[in-house]
Amino acid sequence: ASTSTLGAEHERLESPSRRDDDSDPPLLESSTTTALRMHLNDDSASAEERALRCADGLQSVVSACCARPALTAGLLTDVGAAELSEAGLLLLAQHFAQANDSVQIGASFVRVAILPRLLQLSQPAPRALYNCIMTFVEQQPSMLVEELIMPLLWHASGHLNTPQSELLGRLAKALPGSALQLVIELFIRGEKDQPGVWSEAQVSVIQSVLTLKPQLSGHDLNRLLQQADANVDLLKKSLKFSNLIFTVIRSYAPQLGPCAELARAVTEQLQTFMKKTTLSAIDKALVA
């Protein structure tokens, strides 16, 4: 939505006297966000009734965000996005995802409305919450990786609970190859660009991503194995870690040559039943 459409389409926008300067579009009146918050949270209404009652307010909020993306986080806070029921949040997400392709706006939505819920997740994610995330997968997958998946993956030093790990595994299957590649690249780079100690939960998620065989450069494959080598002493008895190493060998066998000795050095330190199978996979990769 352009600035010129705001006054014509949404009568509840504030008067020009409330603008920060003459060139900026007007802010929304607090009555608009207050009413929208109430209707989004009205779980007594049917889905159709909720959508109808929220239509004008949603259009006003989305248009204001499109005109001034820097306002997005504040407007979402005013609407109470972080506290909405899953049904209300899904309706809000659908309008934001369908109305624009602004990475800045989408990132603000994810940070304010979705990520806090996932950081506190202690039970399997409700269907509506999962669907809310999926509204951004098609249009802004890279943003979703950077603003949602990686912050969750690094949360609590990577010690994710089962619902969080399962959700990340489900999301990985829905992401395009380029976004999966970005997950691996950012994981290798490490939190705040500092590679650190891997947790079993992180290993499990990354293994599920690698099973989908995203494209990796030889450089990234070598860096992944170098970090595996740095973590093998801590995780050598972990079946999840052994699965990760085996998946790397199996999924990237044609690229393994320059990294073969490093892969073998890591595998030799494993203390699970998969050690022999993985060593055999390395030998087969080198012969092929």
Side-chain angles (χ1 to χ4, degrees), residues 161-173:
N161 59 35
T162 299
Q164 291 169 331
S165 297
E166 289 178 347
L167 176 61
L168 287 175
R170 290 177 65 193
L171 290 176
K173 295 177 182 179

Side-chain angles (χ1 to χ4, degrees), residues 32 34-35 38 60 84 105 121 130 143 162 175 179 184 192 205 208 219 223 249 252 271 273 276 281-282 284 286:
T32 300
T34 299
M38 179 184 69
S60 294
L84 291 176
I105 293 173
L121 197 66
Y130 178 75
M143 178 279 293
T162 299
L175 291 172
I184 301 302
K192 299 179 180 178
V205 172
S208 67
H219 177 66
R223 290 177 65 200
I249 306 306
Y252 301 95
Q271 295 183 10
F273 71 89
K276 183 176 180 180
I282 294 173
K284 290 179 180 178
L286 295 177

Side-chain angles (χ1 to χ4, degrees), residues 20-286:
D20 294 336
D21 58 58
D22 290 341
S23 63
D24 286 336
L27 297 173
L28 287 176
E29 290 182 346
S30 60
S31 60
T32 300
T33 53
T34 299
L36 178 58
R37 181 173 187 163
M38 179 184 69
H39 291 315
L40 285 170
N41 269 320
D42 185 6
D43 289 333
S44 66
S46 66
E48 293 77 10
E49 290 172 336
R50 191 199 307 258
L52 183 61
R53 293 170 185 173
C54 292
D56 289 344
L58 285 169
Q59 188 61 40
S60 294
V61 169
V62 170
S63 293
C65 292
C66 288
R68 295 173 65 185
L71 294 179
T72 302
L75 286 172
L76 288 170
T77 299
D78 291 344
V79 172
E83 296 83 32
L84 291 176
S85 66
E86 278 80 14
L89 180 66
L90 178 57
L91 181 59
L92 187 63
Q94 288 169 340
H95 276 71
F96 268 80
Q98 293 170 4
N100 68 85
D101 58 0
S102 166
V103 172
Q104 183 179 356
I105 293 173
S108 293
F109 189 95
V110 166
R111 287 194 297 266
V112 172
I114 302 178
L115 180 60
R117 297 169 187 258
L118 301 193
L119 296 180
Q120 299 175 13
L121 197 66
S122 59
Q123 297 180 350
R127 181 183 297 273
L129 179 57
Y130 178 75
N131 289 340
C132 180
I133 299 170
M134 291 299 294
T135 60
F136 292 94
V137 166
E138 183 176 348
Q139 292 184 334
Q140 300 181 30
S142 295
M143 178 279 293
L144 204 63
V145 169
E146 294 182 8
E147 300 293 343
L148 185 73
I149 291 177
M150 298 312 300
L152 181 57
L153 191 61
W154 293 121
H155 176 60
S157 300
H159 295 290
L160 309 175
N161 59 35
T162 299
Q164 291 169 331
S165 297
E166 289 178 347
L167 176 61
L168 287 175
R170 290 177 65 193
L171 290 176
K173 295 177 182 179
L175 291 172
S178 59
L180 294 173
Q181 181 180 353
L182 182 60
V183 170
I184 301 302
E185 290 174 354
L186 294 177
F187 183 72
I188 293 170
R189 187 185 304 171
E191 186 178 18
K192 299 179 180 178
D193 294 332
Q194 293 293 326
V197 177
W198 292 357
S199 71
E200 280 202 320
Q202 288 175 326
V203 166
S204 180
V205 172
I206 294 302
Q207 190 269 338
S208 67
V209 171
L210 292 171
T211 299
L212 300 170
K213 300 182 180 180
Q215 183 177 352
L216 293 185
S217 66
H219 177 66
D220 282 342
L221 180 59
N222 186 67
R223 290 177 65 200
L224 181 62
L225 286 168
Q226 285 179 338
Q227 290 189 33
D229 188 42
N231 282 276
V232 67
D233 189 56
L234 178 66
L235 297 170
K236 59 189 175 184
K237 296 182 180 180
S238 167
L239 186 57
K240 292 179 180 178
F241 182 77
S242 294
N243 269 322
L244 171 65
I245 302 304
F246 180 74
T247 300
V248 170
I249 306 306
R250 182 182 58 185
S251 297
Y252 301 95
Q255 300 171 243
L256 190 63
C259 311
E261 291 308 310
L262 179 56
R264 191 184 300 277
V266 174
T267 305
E268 288 285 3
Q269 298 176 70
L270 298 180
Q271 295 183 10
T272 71
F273 71 89
M274 293 194 66
K275 175 179 177 179
K276 183 176 180 180
T277 302
T278 306
L279 286 171
S280 177
I282 294 173
D283 292 336
K284 290 179 180 178
L286 295 177

